[in-house]
Amino acid sequence: MGPGDLVWERLGHNAVGIRDAPTGRDVVYNWGMFSFDQPGFVGRFLRGEMMYWMASFGAAETVRAYAADNREVVIQILDLTPAERLALRNFVEWNERPENTYYAYDYFRDNCSTRARDAIDRVLGGMIRTKTERIATQLSYRDHALRLMEQDKAVYTGFYVGLGQPADRKLTAWEEMFIPMTMRDRLRTLTVERNGVRAPLVLAESTLFRATREPEAVQPRNLAPYFFAVGILLA
């Protein structure tokens, strides 16, 4: 799912869909669920102490909800064996149990996209990580946050000022998949090899809803001159 209007929607969203043809059950498993009603939400979020959870929803209602918010919806059908599909279904159903569903959220390293990535990588025996963890990219955590948040100057400023130096390290392709749209693009390039035969990991891809938004920025804008000017005026 592509970016939305709200701050927590700007990075997009990833989910794992399980379609059971014999029963007609079509379910989307989402990580990154939260509630503003949780005690001390703002303070705990800023300190990185929030507990998020995973939940499933019907596929049709999921698509309608994102389309109503003018957020692009793309589905990728993955080349998984019957055993891998079963393992993925069993894992997400286990993960949704009340005793397993909660986890400590991390904006960059443990979000909806990394959870979906790890679930798929798990049933593929670590194939995705093996193929991507040594590929260097040109952007950092800060770069991605700034390019996707630049419409909201207050949030942009928070990331610009608040993130420490570790956020400026250039990411590997594995780490960069914390951005759902980047994970989508990366999966298109990967192959799986079985019995000496190599084939694309993504069997088919289709856009279920095309949003009418401006394309996401490829690089973050440099607003340092703006901050400098504001600083001079304040001084």
Side-chain angles (χ1 to χ4, degrees):
M1 294 77 158
D5 296 322
L6 302 176
V7 170
W8 58 86
E9 298 174 342
R10 298 279 172 80
L11 265 66
H13 181 61
N14 262 350
V16 171
I18 306 289
R19 177 175 295 166
D20 191 333
T23 64
R25 190 167 184 263
D26 199 357
V27 178
V28 175
Y29 293 86
N30 300 265
W31 290 269
M33 308 298 296
F34 68 93
S35 171
F36 286 118
D37 295 331
Q38 293 171 272
F41 176 87
V42 175
R44 293 174 63 197
F45 178 82
L46 293 175
R47 293 192 301 269
E49 299 173 357
M50 279 301 302
M51 297 299 291
Y52 280 45
W53 67 89
M54 183 258 241
S56 63
F57 300 93
E61 65 178 288
T62 298
V63 174
R64 286 196 297 269
Y66 281 89
D69 288 339
N70 192 27
R71 297 179 64 181
E72 185 172 78
V73 181
V74 176
I75 183 172
Q76 291 179 320
I77 300 175
L78 305 183
D79 184 11
L80 304 180
T81 66
E84 291 164 348
R85 296 177 200 169
L86 181 61
L88 182 58
R89 188 197 69 182
N90 289 343
F91 174 74
V92 294
E93 289 181 349
W94 170 88
N95 200 171
E96 194 179 21
R97 294 175 187 169
E99 65 270 23
N100 303 323
T101 190
Y102 290 93
Y103 65 97
Y105 178 81
D106 186 291
Y107 191 83
F108 296 119
R109 296 172 297 182
D110 199 348
N111 63 11
C112 65
S113 193
T114 64
R115 287 265 163 168
R117 176 201 65 189
D118 293 349
I120 298 168
D121 189 55
R122 177 191 181 98
V123 303
L124 288 172
M127 181 275 291
I128 297 177
R129 182 163 195 161
T130 299
K131 289 178 176 288
T132 59
E133 66 179 349
R134 297 185 183 278
I135 299 176
T137 75
Q138 299 303 308
L139 299 180
S140 65
Y141 284 124
R142 191 194 305 272
D143 291 332
H144 281 295
L146 295 182
R147 75 179 178 86
L148 292 169
M149 295 290 182
E150 66 178 29
Q151 294 177 349
D152 190 321
K153 296 301 186 292
V155 178
Y156 181 103
T157 303
F159 277 115
Y160 192 92
V161 176
L163 291 178
Q165 188 176 8
D168 294 318
R169 176 180 58 83
K170 302 305 181 186
L171 302 177
T172 66
W174 168 259
E175 295 169 320
E176 196 179 44
M177 283 189 277
F178 86 96
I179 300 292
M181 295 77 73
T182 303
M183 177 174 167
R184 172 202 64 199
D185 297 342
R186 181 64 60 179
L187 292 188
R188 291 171 180 160
T189 70
L190 299 183
T191 59
V192 289
E193 188 171 343
R194 300 186 179 96
N195 301 319
V197 178
R198 183 173 297 174
L201 174 60
V202 177
L203 286 174
E205 179 177 309
S206 59
T207 301
L208 303 185
F209 178 78
R210 194 175 300 279
T212 56
R213 296 177 178 272
E214 292 292 326
E216 62 185 84
V218 177
Q219 294 279 346
R221 291 174 58 197
N222 181 16
L223 297 186
Y226 169 81
F227 291 135
F228 180 76
V230 171
I232 292 294
L233 290 174
L234 290 175

